[in-house]
Amino acid sequence: MPSMELLGRSFLQAAGSASTAAPRGGRERAGGGLCFASLGGRQGRRTVRSKAPVGALAERVVLTPAPAERVARPEAHPQSVAARAVVTVRRKRKVEVKEQVAEQMDAYADRVGRSVLLELISTETDPRKGGPKKSKKSKLVGWFEKRDVKAELVVYTAEFTVDAAFGEPGAVTVLNRHQLEFFIESILVEGFPSGPAHFTCNSWVQPTRVDPAPRVFFTNKPYLPSKTPPGLRELRRRELKELRGSGTGVRKITDRAYDYDVYNDLGNPDKGEGFERPVLGGDKLPYPRRMRTARPSTVTDEGAESRVEYPEPIYVSRDEEFEEGKNEMLSEGAIKALLHNFMPLLVSSVSPDSRDFAGFHDVDNLFKEGLRLKQALHDQLFQKIPFVRKIQENSEGLLRYDTPDIIKKDKFAWLRDDEFARQALAGINPVNIERLQVFPPVSKLDPAVYGPPESAITEEHIIGNLDGMSVQQALEENKLYMLDYHDIFMPFLDRINSLDGRKAYGTRTLFFLTAGGTLKPIAIELCLPPMTDDCKRAKRVFTPPADATSIWLWQLAKAHVCSNDAGVHQLINHWLRTHACMEPFIIAAHRQMSAMHPIFKLLKPHMRYTLKINALARQILINGDGVIESGFTPGRYCMEMSSFAYDNLWRLDQEGLPADLIRRGMAVEDASQPHGLRLLIEDYPYATDGLLLWSAIARWCEAYVAAYYPSDEAVQDDYELQSWYTEAVQVGHPDKRDAPWWPRLTTAGDLASLLTTLVWLCSAQHAALNFGQYPLGGYIPNRPPLMRRLVPAEGDPEYEHLVADPHRFYLSALPSLTQTTTFMTVIDTLSTHSADEQYLGERPNEEWTADPAALAAAREFAAEVRRAEEEIERRNADPSRRNRCGAGVLPYELMAPSSGPGITCRGVPNSVTI
C-alpha cells in the first residue's frame, strides 16, 4: 500500500535526520525543570540518578578539561561575589558530515571571539535602572578545547563577578553566536550565599543568525504569578509572549511558537478528485484544534493547507521534537515495516490469486515462517527479481511476525464466545461496555431517517440464555450488558458500503453476567439503513448457534462486531479522546503558563512527545489514504466519524474514570467503597486496575495543589492558570465552548480534579488503549479492523458459497493479505515502548523543582504507583478472577505501570508518546 511504503521510508529518513532529532535525555521547556524519583522497568526499577550537582556529574563524563587558567575562579573582593555557571550540553550521537564540519568551524570561531555568552539575572531589581540586576556577559569556556570529546554530555563553564548586593540568580540568558544550534541539558550556578541555583533547561538554543535574541532559562524554583520576584516579572511576561508567537507567517522548524488551527491538512486536493478531505473544526464538522503550522493554501482549495509529505518534517515547536532514543525505535520499526510489507505487495502484484488467505494456516505461517511463496511463484520471482532471494535469506527474522500474545496461551481461544465477551472487559477496548438499562435498546437517531428506534432483539431471542431469569429480573439484578455501535455507524453506512471492499453494519451485542462473574454473548443485532418502510433485512438478530451453518453465521456476526469495535477504539477512544482532545490543553499550557508556574511543572512530563506524535499522525496515519483510512472499515469517512463522536459524545466532565464508569452504568456511587464507587461487575480488570492508578493520581494532584493554593481565592486570582484553562476551552475547543458541562475552575478542589483527569487521560487511559494493540489485535481473525462482506441471508447467491466452503468464505470477509500485513506492521510500531520512555511516577531526577514539599509528595506518588503494580501482579495470580486468570486466559497488565522497551503489553508512560 502506498501509505505503508511512505510509513517505512518516512520513519527511516526522519529517524536518521540529525538536524531535527533531540539528543537523548529528558526534554523540558526553557527553565521548566522536570525530575523526581526515577523508577524502573519490569525486571527491576531503574536506578535513581546521582544527586550530585549536574556540573559535577557531567564533569566525570568529559575527558578533556579546559586549561586551568581559563577555569580559575576570579578572586572576590569584599563587596563582590565570584560565581561559576556549569553548563551541561548534550551532544548528538549521530552527526552528519556537514554538521561535523560546521561543529569544527564553530569551535575555531569560538576561539577567536565568536563565543557563547551567558548573563545572570537577579530576582531583585536595580533601583537605579528600574529593571532586574544583571551580571556582565561572560564567555562560555572550553568549546574549542573540547571540540573532539566523544562523550554525550560535555560540560563548559562561565565565570562571573557580581556585586555582593546582587541577590539570588533567578534566570540565565544564553546568546549563541555559533553557526549551529546546541542542546543545553542544565545549568548550575554556584558561589552565591543563597546556595547553588539549578536551571533544568533541556532545550535547543538557536544561533543568532536564526534568532538574535538571547534565550532565557529560569531557576527551578516554582513561583505563582503573584509571587514572582520583581526581577523576573518582565522576563516571565516576555517569555510567554514569545511562545505565543505573532499568529502570522509560516512556521520554521527552528521556531518555538505555539498556536492553533483547524484540521485542514488531511487531504491533498491538488492531486485530483478523491484526494480532498473536509476540514475538521467548525460548525459543519466540530473538532478540537491542532498545532498551527501556517503553510500556504493548496492551489485548488484556499481552505485547505498544503501538505508536507515525508521525508520533510512537519512543524512543531523545536523542543517538542523526538529525542534520539525515540527516533532510533522508529527507525527499527521502519525497517520491519518495509520488509514486512515488501513481500506481500510483491506477491499480490505478481499473483492476484494470492491476495486472500487460502486457509487459517496461511495466517499462522506469518508467525511461524514469515510469508512463504508458492514454488512456481518463488522461482518466477527469483528469475525476474534476483534480490528477492537475498531479502528472504538475510531477513528471515524480520520477515516473520512476532506471535501475538492472544494466541500464545490458547491458539483457538478467539473462537470461543467467552473470550469474545472477556475482551470487552479486559481487551484493547474495554471502555465501551455498558449496562443495559432499557429493553429493548433504543436508538437516539431520527426515526424519520433511520427507521423505528427500537432494537429488533426480543425477549424470545434471549430468554433461553438468562439462567432462568426473566428479562425484567435480569435488568433489575444488573445482569444485562451491551456493546452498542448502532448510532455511531448508522449515519455513515450507505457511504461506507458504497466503497470498494468495505462492508459494515450498525451493531448491538447483548451479554449476560454469569454467576461466575464472566460475560456471555446472548444476541447480536446487525442493522442497515431501511430501504423501505417494512424492510426485514434492515435489522437481523443472531443468537448463539445450534447447528453447523448457524455457527459460521454467528462467527461472521461476531467479526462485524469486532470490526466496529476496532474502528470505534482507534478513531474515537484512542485518537480522539487521548490524542486530539488533549492537544489544546498542551498548546494552551505553553502559551499561558510560565515554566516557573507550579502547575506547568506538574503537567510537563505528561505533555512529552504528544504534539510531535499528533503531527506525525496527520502526515501518515489519519490523513487521506493514510494508514487509518486504509486499515479500518469506514475508509475515507473515518475522520468524519471521529468528528461525529466529538460533537455528540465527548464531554470533559465525563472523561475521568469514575465519571465514565457511572455514565456507562458499570458502577454506582458508594461512599463505603475504597474509591467512592461500587463496580457492578466485580472482576472488570480495566476498571479495578484503573481505579488504583486513578486514586494515586488524584491524591498526588490534591497534595500538590494544596501546597500552592491555600484558598479558593488563590485559584481564582491566578491569572496564568485561569488564562490556560479559558484558552484551552474557548480557543482549543471552540466548537463546544458554550456547552454547560465544562468543569468550573474556581476552587482548589476543581483544580485538583481537572489535573487528575488530564493526567489520567495522558497516561493510564492512553496506555490501556494503545499498548495492547499488537499483542491482542495482531492475530487478525480475532479482531479484524475491516470487513469486506456482509453476512449472507438464505436465498442470497453468497449464502451458497458460505455453505459450500465456510472457512474460505469467512476468510474472504476479513482483510486481504496485504491489508493484514500492513495493519499488523502499523500496530506493531504503535505498541512498542522506546528505550527512553518515562513511566508513571518517574522523572529523570529531582531537579525539576526546588520545593521540598512538592518533592516529598512526588516520592509518595511514586511509592503508591509501585504499590499499585504489586497489587496488579497479585490480582493476575488470583484464580477467582476469571477474566484475567485461568487456562489460556491472558493476565491483564496494560495498567501495570512499568515496562522494558519493546512490545510488552504493559507499561504506563507519563504521556501520549506513540
Side-chain angles (χ1 to χ4, degrees):
M1 285 192 166
S3 59
M4 201 58 240
E5 293 178 277
L6 269 177
L7 176 67
R9 287 203 309 271
S10 305
F11 279 156
L12 280 173
Q13 298 192 41
S17 173
S19 62
T20 58
R24 192 175 62 123
R27 175 160 40 84
E28 311 291 321
R29 194 175 78 205
L34 184 68
C35 322
F36 64 76
S38 180
L39 308 180
R42 185 176 182 181
Q43 277 71 39
R45 297 279 177 171
R46 292 200 289 271
T47 306
V48 177
R49 291 188 183 181
S50 168
K51 295 182 182 178
V54 173
L57 174 65
E59 282 287 11
R60 292 198 292 271
V61 181
V62 181
L63 304 177
T64 310
E69 67 273 17
R70 292 204 173 192
V71 297
R73 188 172 300 181
E75 248 181 73
H77 297 287
Q79 300 301 316
S80 64
V81 172
R84 168 187 286 182
V86 181
V87 180
T88 303
V89 171
R90 186 177 289 275
R91 289 183 173 176
K92 297 176 184 177
R93 291 190 301 230
K94 297 178 180 178
V95 183
E96 296 176 356
V97 174
K98 185 177 179 181
E99 273 192 293
Q100 290 176 355
V101 173
E103 284 179 352
Q104 291 296 316
M105 292 176 65
D106 274 344
Y108 281 95
D110 188 275
R111 190 178 193 183
V112 298
R114 293 291 298 175
S115 52
V116 176
L117 300 180
L118 270 66
E119 181 182 48
L120 302 182
I121 309 294
S122 173
T123 57
E124 300 177 7
T125 56
D126 186 334
R128 293 172 301 172
K129 298 180 180 178
K133 295 178 181 178
K134 299 180 181 180
S135 72
K136 291 183 179 180
K137 292 182 173 64
S138 180
K139 174 184 176 181
L140 199 62
V141 176
W143 207 280
F144 175 77
E145 292 76 10
K146 299 178 183 181
R147 65 190 182 280
D148 296 322
V149 170
K150 301 302 181 185
E152 189 173 0
L153 295 179
V154 183
V155 171
Y156 307 97
T157 59
E159 307 297 333
F160 300 91
T161 300
V162 297
D163 189 271
F166 182 82
E168 180 183 346
V172 177
T173 68
V174 181
L175 189 68
N176 176 10
R177 299 194 295 174
H178 293 168
Q179 290 299 304
L180 294 179
E181 63 178 2
F182 58 82
F183 188 85
I184 295 186
E185 186 178 80
S186 64
I187 301 172
L188 175 67
V189 177
E190 302 170 303
F192 283 88
S194 55
H198 293 270
F199 301 80
T200 306
C201 310
N202 289 309
S203 182
W204 292 98
V205 179
Q206 297 303 320
T208 51
R209 65 179 177 82
V210 174
D211 184 358
R215 277 296 307 279
V216 177
F217 295 100
F218 293 108
T219 178
N220 65 347
K221 287 188 176 182
Y223 294 108
L224 291 174
S226 61
K227 301 292 180 65
T228 308
L232 303 181
R233 289 173 189 166
E234 178 58 23
L235 277 180
R236 182 173 187 150
R237 186 197 65 79
R238 191 188 309 163
E239 175 73 357
L240 284 174
K241 182 179 180 182
E242 182 177 339
L243 288 169
R244 287 194 284 267
S246 64
T248 60
V250 177
R251 293 278 178 247
K252 302 189 297 292
I253 294 301
T254 54
D255 288 350
R256 299 172 59 225
Y258 295 80
D259 204 353
Y260 304 90
D261 207 344
V262 294
Y263 283 73
N264 60 351
D265 62 345
L266 301 182
N268 190 352
D270 290 347
K271 290 180 69 175
E273 188 177 352
F275 291 94
E276 70 285 343
R277 292 295 182 272
V279 173
L280 301 185
D283 294 338
K284 188 175 181 181
L285 292 173
Y287 217 61
R289 297 308 189 254
R290 63 164 174 95
M291 184 83 156
R292 177 178 177 270
T293 53
R295 297 186 300 272
S297 299
T298 60
V299 175
T300 53
D301 183 354
E302 289 187 0
E305 188 172 274
S306 57
R307 285 186 54 76
V308 174
E309 308 288 0
Y310 269 112
E312 295 300 318
I314 189 170
Y315 174 77
V316 290
S317 180
R318 184 65 183 97
D319 289 337
E320 302 294 334
E321 285 289 344
F322 290 150
E323 296 160 13
E324 284 185 296
K326 185 74 170 180
N327 275 325
E328 287 169 2
M329 181 275 284
L330 293 175
S331 179
E332 292 170 5
I335 294 171
K336 290 170 68 176
L338 288 173
L339 290 173
H340 275 159
N341 287 280
F342 173 76
M343 295 299 282
L345 287 168
L346 193 61
V347 169
S348 63
S349 65
V350 176
S351 178
D353 63 342
S354 299
R355 290 173 185 170
D356 289 335
F357 293 105
F360 286 103
H361 60 276
D362 283 350
V363 183
D364 297 340
N365 285 342
L366 292 174
F367 312 113
K368 293 178 181 178
E369 304 175 356
L371 185 68
R372 294 295 178 182
L373 308 177
K374 295 177 182 178
Q375 190 60 46
L377 180 60
H378 186 277
D379 295 340
Q380 181 184 2
L381 285 176
F382 278 7
Q383 290 173 5
K384 291 183 176 180
I385 316 174
F387 72 87
V388 171
R389 182 192 302 273
K390 290 192 176 292
I391 290 178
Q392 195 155 15
E393 288 174 354
N394 298 332
S395 306
E396 289 296 339
L398 291 173
L399 286 171
R400 185 172 60 248
Y401 289 85
D402 295 329
T403 302
D405 291 7
I406 195 67
I407 58 171
K408 280 183 179 177
K409 294 184 71 173
D410 185 346
K411 180 180 177 181
F412 302 107
W414 67 276
L415 284 165
R416 300 198 313 265
D417 285 356
D418 65 289
E419 177 63 18
F420 169 73
R422 188 192 71 83
Q423 290 184 35
L425 299 172
I428 307 169
N429 188 42
V431 298
N432 275 100
I433 187 76
E434 61 182 289
R435 178 166 55 91
L436 185 65
Q437 302 182 53
V438 175
F439 185 86
V442 178
S443 169
K444 296 179 181 178
L445 298 176
D446 184 356
V449 178
Y450 300 104
E454 295 81 13
S455 166
I457 301 174
T458 65
E459 186 166 355
E460 287 71 25
H461 285 121
I462 63 175
I463 193 68
N465 286 294
L466 301 184
D467 290 359
M469 294 183 181
S470 67
V471 171
Q472 186 59 37
Q473 185 181 1
L475 285 172
E476 292 172 355
E477 297 189 19
N478 302 319
K479 293 290 187 178
L480 292 176
Y481 294 83
M482 175 173 63
L483 284 177
D484 187 354
Y485 299 131
H486 178 278
D487 287 7
I488 189 66
F489 270 86
M490 189 63 73
F492 299 91
L493 285 181
D494 283 339
R495 287 180 286 170
I496 291 172
N497 289 331
S498 67
L499 297 172
D500 185 33
R502 305 295 171 99
K503 293 292 180 278
Y505 296 94
T507 62
R508 296 186 182 102
T509 308
L510 298 192
F511 301 90
F512 179 75
L513 180 63
T514 68
T518 60
L519 293 176
K520 66 176 181 180
I522 57 176
I524 295 174
E525 181 181 23
L526 304 183
C527 302
L528 294 170
M531 299 180 68
T532 62
D533 290 341
D534 190 26
C535 182
K536 294 182 179 179
R537 296 174 66 108
K539 297 180 179 181
R540 299 171 62 191
V541 178
F542 298 83
T543 55
D547 56 60
T549 302
S550 63
I551 285 174
W552 284 103
L553 292 172
W554 178 248
Q555 288 299 135
L556 283 166
K558 287 198 299 182
H560 272 282
V561 173
C562 289
S563 174
N564 282 5
D565 188 76
V568 169
H569 160 259
Q570 196 70 269
L571 303 172
I572 299 168
N573 297 329
H574 180 201
W575 164 255
L576 174 66
R577 295 172 65 186
T578 67
H579 284 257
C581 287
M582 291 301 98
E583 184 158 346
F585 289 96
I586 296 172
I587 296 172
H590 287 88
R591 286 168 51 87
Q592 298 296 342
M593 284 195 291
S594 166
M596 292 186 286
H597 199 294
I599 300 305
F600 185 91
K601 288 179 177 291
L602 181 144
L603 289 174
K604 181 60 181 176
H606 305 292
M607 302 188 288
R608 182 176 186 243
Y609 285 161
T610 304
L611 296 181
K612 177 63 177 180
I613 205 68
N614 286 3
L616 186 63
R618 298 204 313 275
Q619 287 191 291
I620 58 177
L621 294 177
I622 65 171
N623 59 300
D625 203 31
V627 170
I628 298 299
E629 284 193 5
S630 301
F632 291 89
T633 297
R636 64 175 294 150
Y637 306 109
C638 280
M639 296 310 294
E640 290 184 53
M641 184 179 289
S642 185
S643 169
F644 179 85
Y646 176 70
D647 188 27
N648 293 279
L649 303 176
W650 187 83
R651 293 176 49 161
L652 183 62
D653 64 326
Q654 295 182 348
E655 287 296 285
L657 179 59
D660 178 57
L661 291 171
I662 291 170
R663 177 186 63 83
R664 291 188 281 122
M666 301 301 292
V668 293
E669 294 185 27
D670 187 340
S672 68
Q673 296 296 310
H675 307 288
L677 50 77
R678 176 171 56 86
L679 291 171
L680 299 181
I681 299 179
E682 292 183 12
D683 183 20
Y684 182 3
Y686 160 79
T688 55
D689 293 0
L691 286 169
L692 291 176
L693 299 186
W694 171 271
S695 296
I697 294 167
R699 279 190 280 272
W700 153 237
C701 291
E702 288 164 4
Y704 191 89
V705 167
Y708 297 100
Y709 297 94
S711 67
D712 294 341
E713 288 74 21
V715 173
Q716 297 162 21
D717 293 341
D718 185 342
Y719 63 85
E720 283 188 6
L721 179 74
Q722 295 295 333
S723 296
W724 161 64
Y725 185 55
T726 299
E727 181 175 287
V729 173
Q730 298 289 324
V731 185
H733 288 273
D735 304 327
K736 284 182 169 281
R737 63 186 168 203
D738 296 325
W741 43 255
W742 282 104
R744 294 162 60 92
L745 187 56
T746 56
T747 70
D750 293 341
L751 176 56
S753 177
L754 174 63
L755 294 172
T756 300
T757 298
L758 295 178
V759 172
W760 160 260
L761 291 169
C762 294
S763 58
Q765 180 79 334
H766 177 262
L769 296 169
N770 184 76
F771 292 103
Q773 290 190 76
Y774 187 84
L776 306 181
Y779 186 70
I780 298 302
N782 172 62
R783 186 180 171 79
L786 65 82
M787 295 294 288
R788 295 186 292 156
R789 290 179 183 269
L790 296 174
V791 181
E794 194 167 356
D796 293 344
E798 287 198 336
Y799 187 84
E800 300 305 320
H801 297 160
L802 170 67
V803 173
D805 195 346
H807 93 278
R808 190 71 175 262
F809 183 93
Y810 180 84
L811 287 171
S812 72
L814 304 187
S816 67
L817 169 65
T818 52
Q819 289 171 329
T820 294
T821 55
T822 297
F823 181 76
M824 288 167 61
T825 301
V826 172
I827 61 174
D828 178 288
T829 299
L830 296 181
S831 303
T832 301
H833 289 293
S834 58
D836 70 342
E837 205 86 89
Q838 294 172 8
Y839 295 95
L840 193 66
E842 289 185 17
R843 300 212 188 196
N845 57 56
E846 292 197 338
E847 269 92 46
W848 65 279
T849 182
D851 186 347
L855 289 173
R859 294 188 196 105
E860 176 54 34
F861 174 48
E864 189 165 358
V865 170
R866 287 196 296 271
R867 291 192 292 271
E869 182 158 13
E870 292 166 359
E871 174 60 23
I872 289 170
E873 291 177 2
R874 284 192 291 270
R875 291 174 177 178
N876 282 326
D878 182 356
S880 69
R881 298 177 182 269
R882 299 180 185 181
N883 289 317
R884 63 196 306 162
C885 184
V889 176
L890 292 176
Y892 187 76
E893 297 183 303
L894 287 169
M895 291 283 189
S898 70
S899 174
I903 299 175
T904 63
C905 202
R906 60 176 289 137
V908 179
N910 277 321
S911 59
V912 178
T913 61
I914 190 68

